[in-house]
Amino acid sequence: SGAPFDNERNIHFVQKAGFNKIAYNDSLLKSMKNTALRQLERFEESKEAKLLSYDDIAKATEISAFENAVIAPLFGFRNNVDYYRKTSCINFLDNIQVPTLIINAADDPFFDPTFFPFEKGCDST
């Protein structure tokens, strides 16, 4: 996978109707939910499990809802949008001090194909 420049923007491409939704959102989400629910049942007395809602995980129909139900509470984010904003690498590009090669496929279904941060010194050549 490529560099997640803007996760808030990119989530819309993963959940977009059509192939992306079927291949990525639906199948990936099913796997993530199954894993999370199994772990929640297995470690139900743990402090981490107490942060989660079985029902919220089970009823998630999009990756963003799963991230709101699991990722955000487990890692201390207010919600999925807070998670996207704080983990998007565009926020860190200005602090890179050495030449860095960032490779993203032009047709990566997880990323907005129209967005590349040229203004941050990234070059597409």
Side-chain angles (χ1 to χ4, degrees), residues 14-120:
V14 176
Q15 298 177 163
K16 188 167 87 174
F19 180 79
N20 282 5
K21 181 159 178 44
I22 295 166
Y24 298 104
N25 185 78
D26 295 352
S27 65
L28 181 59
L29 177 63
K30 181 179 179 181
S31 174
M32 292 183 339
K33 284 172 56 172
N34 287 340
T35 299
L37 292 171
R38 272 196 322 271
Q39 294 296 340
L40 190 57
E41 290 169 355
R42 183 174 177 199
F43 300 105
E44 63 186 319
E45 296 304 317
S46 71
K47 64 179 181 175
E48 292 82 7
K50 293 180 186 336
L51 298 171
L52 306 177
S53 162
Y54 189 97
D55 290 339
D56 287 348
I57 297 169
K59 71 180 181 184
T61 59
E62 293 188 324
I63 290 175
S64 57
F66 176 87
E67 290 172 332
N68 203 43
V70 177
I71 303 300
L74 281 181
F75 294 98
F77 298 102
R78 285 190 316 274
N79 53 38
N80 61 320
V81 174
D82 183 45
Y83 162 61
Y84 302 148
R85 290 178 181 168
K86 288 181 177 171
T87 60
S88 295
C89 74
I90 196 164
N91 301 320
F92 308 102
L93 294 177
D94 291 335
N95 297 322
I96 296 175
Q97 300 295 313
V98 297
T100 303
L101 177 64
I102 299 173
I103 299 174
N104 278 12
D107 62 350
D108 189 323
F110 279 76
F111 301 113
D112 179 351
T114 66
F115 180 71
F116 198 84
F118 296 106
E119 74 282 0
K120 297 284 187 178

